[in-house]
Each structure stands twice: as C-alpha cells, then as structure tokens.
Amino acid sequence: WLPRAAGLTTALVGLVNIASALTPNIRWRGHLLLQLEGVSAMQVFHALALPAGALLLLVSPYLLRRRRRAMQLGIVLLLAIGLLNLLKGLDFEESTVGWLLALALYLGRAQFNVVHAPVTLRSTAWRLPMIGAGAIALVSLGRLMPLAVHLVDAVTLLGVAYIVFRPLAAPRTWPSATVRRWAAQLVRQHGHDTLSFFKLRPDKHYFFNEDRTAFVGYRVEAGTLLLSGDPVGPAEALASLLIEVRRFAHARGLRLAALGSSRTLVELHRLLGLRSFYLGDEAIVDTTTFSLEGRPIRKVRQSVSRLRKAGYSAELCGVDGLDAQTRQQLSAVMEAGRIGRSERGFSMAMDGVRCPLQQDTLLVLARDAQGALRGVLHFVPCYGRKAMSLSIMRRDPSTPNGLMEFLVVAAIEGLRERGVKEVSLNFATVARWIREPANRLESVLGRVAGALDRHFQVESLYRFNLKFQPRWEPRYLVYEGRSGMLSAAAAAMWAEGQMPRPKLPHMKTRLRRRPLTTLNR
C-alpha cells in the first residue's frame, strides 16, 4: 500500500505547493521573514517553489508504479521544497508535511523495487529528434505561439521523464539452443505434470533458479509476466524459484501471473501472497479402465464402427519416423484443419509437430480407404509418470463426422499397448460450471460460457471430452493483487490466441520476414 499512498500524497503536496507559490504570503509571516532576507530573495524562492511542485506532480505516477528513481528524486524534491517553503514564506505546515513524506519514502524504500533501464546516449538519440520535430510543428502554428511553447515544454519534460523512469526491459530475444537443451533436460528429470512438456514451445522465455535445478517458462503480455503452467524442478526448489521470479518481474515493473496452474501449485502461490481463479478442467482418461462397452459410450462406439466400415485405419508412430510423402500429407492436413484460423496455444499445446526437442512425441494418423492421410493427433510425453498429453488435433474438413472420436479411441488403445496409463485430452474451460455449478452465479456463468461456444469452443470441447468418461483435474489462473485479474486475463487470452493482440501496422511485415528457423517451426 505504501507506493500507492506515497504517489497520491506526493501529488497532493505538489498541488498544494503550486497553489502556495502562486498566492501571496501570510502578512505577518512575510514581515517576520523580511527581517532575515530581502524581497528579491523571497521572490526567487517563490519562483523556485513552482517548478518544484510541478516536478512532484510528474514524479507521483511513477511512485505509484514503484519506480526506484522516482522514490529517490521524490525524497530530494520533498526535502528541497520543504526548505523553499520556509524561505519563501515561513510555511511550516507545508515544510513539515513534505519532510515527513520524504522520511516515509526513505523508510519504505525497499517497496520501490522497479529497476530502471540505463540512460544512455543511444537510448535518447532517436527520441530527441522526435521531440524537436514536435516542437517545430507546434511553433509553426503561428497564432498559437504561446500555447505551442508551453506544449513543447510539457512534451519535452514528459519525454525526459519517460527516459529517466522507464523500467528495465524484459528479455526480448528467444533463448539459445543451449538454454533450450537445459530446459528439456529438466523436463525429462522432473516433468511429472501433464503440461510440463509444453514449456518447450519455441515462443517462451525461461527463468532458472541460481543452481539451474528448476525453471519456469513465461511470456510477457499486457504488462504481465505470464507463467506457463507449473514450474519444473524438485519440489523443494519451487517456492524459492517463484520468489525469485516475482522479484525478477517486479524489478521490471511487471505483475506476476500463471496460466494453467495445478491445484498443488495454487496452494504454493497462495502462500506467497497470490490469488487464484478457477479456469477449467483438464480431461484425463485412464487407459487401464477405458472401454467401448456400455451404454454411456455408445455414440463413440458407433462412430468408431462407422469409420472402420468406411475403410478408415489409424496408426501410432513417432515424429522422426515419417517419410517425405507422409510429411507432405501431414502438412496439408494441418493447414486444412486450421480452416484459415491462426495458430493458438501457449500453456497446453505445441505450435507444431516438427519442432526441435520433440523426438519423444507421437502421432496418431488416420488414413482413408485409399491410404490418404485425413486426420492427425499429436501427443507429448509426461516423463514423471506413465502419461501423455494431447497437443494438437486436426482433420481434413471433408472427412465424415466422428473421425476425431475414432482417432482418440485409437490413441487410447495404442498408448495403452505401450504402457501409458493416462491420456490427457483437451482442456475444457469452466467445465465445472457447466457440469455441476456450486451456486446460482456459477450456473449463470456456465450458461454464458455455453452461449460463447460459437467463438471460443467452450461447451463443445467439454461435451467432446465427456464422451470418453475422463476424470477432471482443475486448472487455475493465478494473479497478483486484487486489480491484477484483468491484466492477467488479457495476458492469457493474448498468449493463447483467443483475443487479437493490438499491433502497429509495420509489425506484421516484420513478423512475416522473420526466418522460420528463428521461430523453430
């Protein structure tokens, strides 16, 4: 609470001092002060108090954002303005408030933990010409010359403040191949969660603890450092890792959030002061008990029988074992199955089936009676237990209904033969609210989610998963602070591709020109 209180109080002190500098002194104090200094000196101190109050207003928003330089400059300004208040009019009240606030800032200096980017000539070189061009444009207005000059002053001051107070930037370049191999090694050693493998997507950054025994995968979206699922590493290292990650985020002016956190890690996040929101359920099928027998699964059984009679077959194979012709057909099915939509996924899917470090992933391929490839499922391993997770499911739109059910059954049966005991299927958003709402609010929210199914496939994915009689494992959105949920939700939807990200026009061109090797597609 201290940065918020300090920012608001500093703004108030700045306004009071501006008003004081623009109004005459209390008469008896002015007469008393004239015995110590001349009128000209009083006028000088009045003049200096005005910009000092304005600078306090400029600093106050950065105090709210926990900027360290703002705290340091605020202390200096408050000490100086307290002295000016005495010298310009013996304003003891204003001086006392300013000095007390400076003391509060000093005592609470540890709360201002945002580290700043270094101010270099290079960092200012391209901004100063822009400020100059804006000044020329404003001055050229002619009749509005006085206003233009003041606007130039304001723009210049804001530009300087941005350069001085901007936080240290988060990493922009993707991890090197060596770093990715370290991450993959930890996933193999400690990746017992069904979402662990998805941290190896090429569009994630990594944060390791000091001894590199644990790490998190993350992206920065909407001012939020968004973690992908649970951290990977030994259980005893996770708490200290999350503390380090939070410190890393705060030093860059970012909030911390986690998407797809498991129930176990939610408890750890809560102990560290974060909040959680139920996001949905992961459908996990037990292969040892799965069967096509019985009335509840008859629709799946009918779909499988219909596809088999139509000549469809399925095979389970590794990604590295595909021949050139199959790879070409696979690419065609993957593209056709997107139906023009952009790729989605962040915490619960890979971005392709031919990415590096995927030598242990498996494909289930569906072929029609002529042997043409018509559908595919992609599974990634869970090294800590005998489980695999569904990453991508695609089919040619011209294939008959029921092909996905046919493929899932083939996958469950094929993986069971390989000793896999659990198969994680699609994530079903807010499935509990649809399945068994705990109260009227959840019931209403479940109906709203169903109404949005056309755009987000909420209820349809739940109904699809339900066909295979899974058990439901809840997943959560973890966020920081009461006001952090909205920014965490926006970050999650941007990262998953569920909401269009605002972009400048030229950014699309730059992304298209990026080599495919950079994206590791």
Side-chain angles (χ1 to χ4, degrees), residues 104-162:
L105 287 177
Y106 176 77
L107 294 177
R109 60 191 181 279
Q111 297 296 320
F112 299 88
N113 50 13
V114 176
V115 181
H116 297 273
V119 180
T120 62
L121 179 62
R122 181 179 180 183
S123 68
T124 58
W126 68 271
R127 294 181 175 89
L128 292 179
M130 292 180 61
I131 295 174
I136 294 172
L138 289 171
V139 170
S140 66
L141 294 176
R143 291 179 300 173
L144 301 177
M145 180 71 73
L147 175 61
V149 172
H150 290 305
L151 286 175
V152 170
D153 293 340
V155 170
T156 303
L157 189 60
L158 290 173
V160 171
Y162 169 79

Side-chain angles (χ1 to χ4, degrees), residues 296-324:
I297 203 169
R298 69 185 187 282
K299 291 185 178 180
V300 174
R301 183 171 63 249
Q302 291 168 358
S303 296
V304 172
S305 299
R306 185 172 64 254
L307 268 294
R308 285 175 178 170
K309 290 178 181 178
Y312 277 79
S313 61
E315 62 175 313
L316 184 65
C317 60
V319 174
D320 294 338
L322 303 180
D323 56 48

Side-chain angles (χ1 to χ4, degrees), residues 325-398:
Q325 182 180 4
T326 302
R327 288 180 183 273
Q328 185 176 3
Q329 293 179 352
L330 176 61
S331 297
V333 170
M334 292 287 290
E335 183 64 25
R338 288 197 300 117
I339 320 177
R341 302 190 186 100
S342 59
E343 291 284 0
R344 294 181 178 181
F346 167 67
S347 61
M348 304 176 188
M350 299 299 290
D351 68 336
V353 299
R354 297 176 60 185
C355 302
L357 306 174
Q358 291 209 59
Q359 60 269 24
D360 295 330
T361 66
L362 296 174
L363 297 173
V364 182
L365 307 178
R367 298 183 182 275
D368 61 17
Q370 290 72 41
L373 187 61
R374 307 300 298 277
V376 59
L377 300 183
H378 180 228
F379 287 89
V380 300
C382 178
Y383 294 104
R385 64 194 213 231
K386 295 179 179 180
M388 297 201 77
S389 296
L390 177 62
S391 170
I392 297 173
M393 53 192 307
R394 297 282 169 78
R395 70 179 182 92
D396 189 318
S398 63

Side-chain angles (χ1 to χ4, degrees), residues 369-490:
Q370 290 72 41
L373 187 61
R374 307 300 298 277
V376 59
L377 300 183
H378 180 228
F379 287 89
V380 300
C382 178
Y383 294 104
R385 64 194 213 231
K386 295 179 179 180
M388 297 201 77
S389 296
L390 177 62
S391 170
I392 297 173
M393 53 192 307
R394 297 282 169 78
R395 70 179 182 92
D396 189 318
S398 63
T399 54
N401 292 332
L403 181 63
M404 286 294 104
E405 288 85 346
F406 172 80
L407 274 171
V408 170
V409 171
I412 294 172
E413 293 175 345
L415 292 173
R416 178 169 55 198
E417 293 176 1
R418 293 188 175 219
V420 176
K421 295 183 177 180
E422 296 175 308
V423 175
S424 172
L425 298 180
N426 293 300
F427 173 77
T429 307
V430 298
R432 192 190 71 215
W433 295 351
I434 300 172
R435 181 177 72 253
E436 45 185 7
N439 49 53
R440 181 170 296 181
L441 176 60
E442 290 188 0
S443 178
V444 171
L445 292 175
R447 288 195 293 270
V448 171
L452 295 175
D453 186 74
R454 176 181 176 184
H455 303 285
F456 299 103
Q457 292 185 321
V458 176
E459 187 170 3
S460 58
L461 275 178
Y462 163 68
R463 299 296 178 192
F464 178 84
N465 292 334
L466 188 62
K467 295 177 181 180
F468 304 97
Q469 302 175 353
R471 77 171 189 271
W472 302 99
E473 293 289 339
R475 294 282 176 173
Y476 299 85
L477 176 67
V478 177
Y479 59 96
E480 191 172 19
R482 293 182 179 179
S483 61
M485 183 175 173
L486 291 179
S487 59

